[in-house]
Amino acid sequence: MALLEVRDLSVVFQRRGERPFTAVDGVSFDVEPGQTVGLVGESGCGKSVTSLAIMGLLAKRGVKISGSAKFDGTELLSLSDRQMRDRRGRDLGMVFQDPLSSLNPVVSIGLQVTEVLERHRDMSRKQASVEAAELLEKVGIPDPKRRLSEYPHQLSGGMRQRALIAIALACRPRLLIADEPTTALDVTIQAQILALLADLVRDTETALIMITHDLGVVAGLCDEVNVLYAGRVVERAGRHDLFRVPRHPYTHGLLASIPRLDAPRGERLSPIKGSVSDNIPWTTGCAFAPRCPNALDTCVQVTPAMEPDPVVAGPRLLRCHNPVEPATAAEQEIMS
Amino acid sequence: MLRYTIRRLLQLLIVVGVLSLLLFAWLRSLPGGPVSALLGERATTESRARLTEELGLDQPIFVQYFKFVGRALSGDFGVSTGVQPGDSATEIFLQRFPATLELSFLAIVIAVAVGIPLGYLAARRRGGWLDNLSVVSSLIGVAVPVFFLAFLLKQVFAVDLGWFPTAGRQEGGIDATRVTGFFVLDGILTQEWDAAWDALVHLILPAVALSSIPFSVVFRITRASVLDVVDEDYVRTAESKGLTTPVIRRRHVLRNAMLPVVTTIGLQTGALLAGAVLTEKVFAFPGIGQALALGFERRDYPVLLLLILCAAGVFVLINLLVDLSYALIDPRIRTRGGGR
Ligand SMILES: Nc1ncnc2c1ncn2[C@@H]1O[C@H](COP(=O)(O)OP(=O)(O)O)[C@@H](O)[C@H]1O
Ligand code: SF4
Ligand SMILES: [Mg+2]
C-alpha cells in the first residue's frame, strides 16, 4: 500500500458573490514510502492548493474539498481538526516557498524548532534545545548553538530555508511536502538546498512531494513526476521516461523551456506560447487546446481522459488526444 | 539600549525646557490675567497695581521667566493664585497628579483588557455578530464626546441607579492614611481595604468614560492587525507544525499583532489627558484635568505651567516606555546593528 494515496482530489473556492473556482480538479497520485514524487506545472496550476488540502491547511470557510487523501490507510480529509493537528508536524512535514516570511520574525530560531519537538515528541524545553542544535547542525547550519538564540532576520536566505527544513523534519515525519523550496533563493543556494533535501530524505527514508514550476529542479530529485495543468494531472511518468520522451505537448513545452547547462542560465529558450488565461474549461475539452501546437478539432469538443500511453511502453499515464510523437520528442531533445 | 534611553531622557529635558519658555510667553499673552480673576472687573486701579506688583507681573517678561527658572530649579514653582489660592503649585501638583494618573491608568487598563481580547475575537470571527457589534460600538466610542458619555454614565449608574458615587475620589467619612497619593494603592499598602475599595469605586465610572476612545482605538488596531497577521506565512508554518491553537494564538499571532497596538497605546496618552479634563469636570474629580480647567478660568500661571509641563513630560516618558517595550517585543529593533 502506498504511503499517500490521493484520489480524485478536488478543491473548489466558493466566495460569496463570486463564481466558484475549481483550483484542483480530480487529482490522483500515489507516494510510496521513501519515494520522491514531483508535482510540476506553471504557476497557478493548483500545486500549492493540492498540498495545502492534503495538509489540512486550507481555510475552512469558502472552500469545498472532495475526493480522498489516504495517509497510511487513514483518510486525512475526514479527520477532525484535533486529529489533523496531531499528525501535522509529526507524520507530515511541510517546507514553504519563502523562508523569510515563513519564519516568525519575533520568535527565536531556537523556539521555532523546539516548539514542534515539545508538541509531538514530549520533550522538555531543555531536551528540545539540545535536539534542536543537533537538527540545525544536520541541515548544515554552522555554529548551531548560537543560532538558537538568534532571530530570522539575522540569518541569510539559505540558512533560513535550512532552519525551516530542520523544523519540518524535526519529528521525523514519513512524508515531507516541499512547496517550491528554492524558488525564493539565489541560484547558487538553490542547488545546495536541493542537494540537502535529497540527502536528508534518502538518509531518513522520508517520502517527499517536491512541488516546483521548474522541471530542472525535478530532474535530479524525483522518482516519479506528475505534470499538472489547470488543476488536472496531464502526464505522469518516471523521471527518466518523462525526460527522455515527453509525450504530452505541455510537458514537451515545459522541457523545451528549461535553460540547458550549455545555454546562458535564466534565459527561457522557447516558452510555451500564450498563458493560462487562454484556457478553456476542462468540461468542454482540453484546457490546454488554445495554446497547444498539436491541437486537433476534437480537442475543443472532447475532454481527454487520463489513460496509459498507447505508443511508448512503460507505466505512463497521459491526458491527450494527440501526443507528441516519440521520434520528434527525441529529436528535439538532441537538438536543444 | 542604555545609550538610547539616556539620549531620549536628554531630549525630554530639552523638550520641557523649550516648552516652558513657550508656555510662559503664551500664558501671559492671553487676555485677562490673574489680577482681574482675583479682584474682579470692578477693582480699583490702585489695588490692581498693588497686586500686579506683588505677583511680580509688572516686570519685563524675560526677567519674570529667568526668576521662574531660577526658582523652579530649586523646586519652587510659585504659589497658586486661582485653583487653591495660597497653596504652592508643587503641593497642588502632588495632590492632583496621582489622582489623574490613577484614573488614566485604570482607563488604559480597561481599554487594553477589553480592547485586545475583543479585537482578537472579532478578527477571528470576522463578519460574525460579535465582530459587527464591537465594530459598531467602537465607532460609537470615538464618535460620542467623552463628556457626554461621562454625563450619561453618571446620570444612569450614579444618580438613577445609585450603584456608584456621583463625585470625588473618596468619601469624606473614610479615614485613610496617605502614603503615595494614589488612593487605591495607599489603601492596599496600608491594608485599609475599605479605603482602597471606596477609592476604586469612585474611579470606575470616570475611568470607563475616559477609556472609550483608547478602547475604540486599541480594539480597532488589534482587530486590523490580527486580520493581517493570521494571513502571514509564518502562521501557516505554525499550523503546519501541528501546534495547538493557544500556542499559535499567543506566540505566533498576538505577539506580532501587538506591535502596532503598543505604539497606539503610547499615542493615546495625549488624547487621554484631553479626555481627563472633561471627565474630571463631570465627576468633580480632583485631578489635574479639573485643576487645568479651573486654572485657565482664573489665569493661575504657576499651577498651569507646572501641570502642563508635567503632563508633557509624562507624555514623552510614556512614549519612551512604549519605544523600549517595542524593542523588547521586536527583535528586529533590539538587535539592530548587532545582526547581519
Ligand atoms: N484561497 C484562495 N481563494 C481563491 N482562489 C485561490 C486561493 N488559493 C489559490 N487560489 C487559486 O487557485 C489556483 C491555484 O493556485 P496555487 O495552487 O497556489 O497555484 P500554484 O500551482 O502556483 O501553487 C490559482 O488560480 C489561484 O489563484
Ligand atoms: S488534448 Fe489536444 S489540445 Fe490537449 S494537449 Fe493533447 S493535443 Fe493538445
Ligand atoms: Mg504555489
Side-chain angles (χ1 to χ4, degrees), chain A residues 177-198:
Chain A
I177 303 181
D179 187 355
E180 313 230 16
T182 58
T183 305
L185 301 175
D186 289 347
V187 175
T188 46
I189 311 291
Q190 288 187 0
Q192 294 174 13
I193 296 292
L194 286 179
L196 173 72
L197 269 175

Side-chain angles (χ1 to χ4, degrees), chain B:
Chain B
M1 200 68 118
L2 187 65
R3 271 181 52 188
Y4 174 73
T5 312
I6 291 170
R7 203 175 68 221
R8 287 286 299 265
L9 287 174
L10 286 177
Q11 273 173 10
L12 169 67
L13 282 182
I14 295 169
V15 166
V16 170
V18 171
L19 190 64
S20 74
L21 181 61
L22 293 176
L23 263 177
F24 201 87
W26 178 66
L27 284 175
R28 275 154 185 75
S29 73
L30 292 177
V35 175
S36 321
L38 281 172
L39 300 179
E41 291 305 324
R42 273 191 286 265
T44 61
T45 329
E46 192 181 295
S47 58
R48 297 176 72 96
R50 198 169 53 239
L51 189 58
T52 305
E53 199 188 321
E54 232 172 75
L55 295 176
L57 297 172
D58 52 339
Q59 288 159 7
I61 185 160
F62 61 89
V63 176
Q64 289 183 41
Y65 181 71
F66 283 114
K67 279 191 172 163
F68 161 76
V69 172
R71 283 200 307 266
L73 287 177
S74 63
D76 174 12
F77 287 88
V79 175
S80 165
T81 59
V83 178
Q84 286 159 231
D87 288 356
S88 77
T90 318
E91 202 175 315
I92 294 175
F93 166 78
L94 288 177
Q95 279 169 12
R96 288 173 178 267
F97 214 66
T100 298
L101 279 188
E102 205 168 35
L103 176 62
S104 310
F105 181 72
L106 188 60
I108 281 287
V109 167
I110 293 173
V112 166
V114 183
I116 291 178
L118 208 59
Y120 179 83
L121 287 177
R124 291 327 306 264
R125 294 172 180 45
R126 185 183 189 177
W129 63 269
L130 181 75
D131 185 26
N132 293 328
L133 186 74
S134 30
V135 167
V136 169
S137 58
S138 83
L139 285 176
I140 295 173
V142 272
V144 173
V146 175
F147 76 88
F148 179 71
L149 184 64
F151 180 78
L152 206 71
L153 287 172
K154 176 176 156 175
Q155 189 62 38
V156 174
F157 294 102
V159 178
D160 293 345
L161 293 170
W163 294 352
F164 295 95
T166 54
R169 278 184 87 186
Q170 208 161 44
E171 289 309 320
I174 287 183
D175 180 26
T177 318
R178 299 280 165 253
V179 187
T180 59
F182 297 93
F183 285 10
V184 179
L185 186 64
D186 285 356
I188 294 169
L189 289 176
T190 58
Q191 305 200 339
E192 293 168 349
W193 303 116
D194 53 335
W197 177 250
D198 184 64
L200 185 65
V201 165
H202 276 81
L203 277 176
I204 287 177
L205 286 184
V208 168
L210 191 53
S211 73
S212 65
I213 289 177
F215 154 74
S216 301
V217 176
V218 166
F219 164 77
R220 281 192 295 168
I221 302 282
T222 305
R223 177 177 176 278
S225 173
V226 168
L227 280 177
D228 279 347
V229 170
V230 291
D231 282 338
E232 290 285 349
D233 288 350
Y234 52 78
V235 175
R236 192 182 56 192
T237 307
E239 292 283 2
S240 80
K241 291 148 96 171
L243 302 179
T244 57
T245 313
V247 171
I248 294 179
R249 179 190 311 159
R250 198 163 20 86
R251 192 177 290 161
H252 296 285
V253 177
L254 278 178
R255 208 187 277 190
N256 281 286
M258 280 309 97
L259 296 174
V261 180
V262 168
T263 318
T264 310
I265 294 172
L267 293 175
Q268 282 305 305
T269 50
L272 211 59
L273 229 50
V277 175
L278 302 163
T279 313
E280 290 180 2
K281 199 166 171 63
V282 174
F283 287 94
F285 191 87
I288 63 161
Q290 198 197 36
L292 281 175
L294 208 60
F296 267 111
E297 218 168 277
R298 300 184 184 163
R299 299 282 183 267
D300 191 336
Y301 295 156
V303 170
L304 286 176
L305 255 175
L306 180 60
L307 292 186
I308 296 176
L309 284 182
C310 286
V314 167
F315 183 72
V316 176
L317 267 182
I318 285 180
N319 279 289
L320 171 61
L321 281 181
V322 164
D323 285 354
L324 291 178
S325 52
Y326 201 94
L328 221 62
I329 330 181
D330 193 343
R332 284 165 295 189
I333 293 176
R334 188 171 4 144
T335 57
R336 195 167 41 194
R340 247 183 270 163

Side-chain angles (χ1 to χ4, degrees), chain A residues 99 147 152-161 185 189, chain B residues 340:
Chain A
R147 293 298 185 190
H153 71 278
Q154 293 169 289
L155 268 59
S156 68
M159 286 302 148
R160 285 179 204 134
Q161 196 59 299
L185 301 175
I189 311 291
Chain B
R340 247 183 270 163

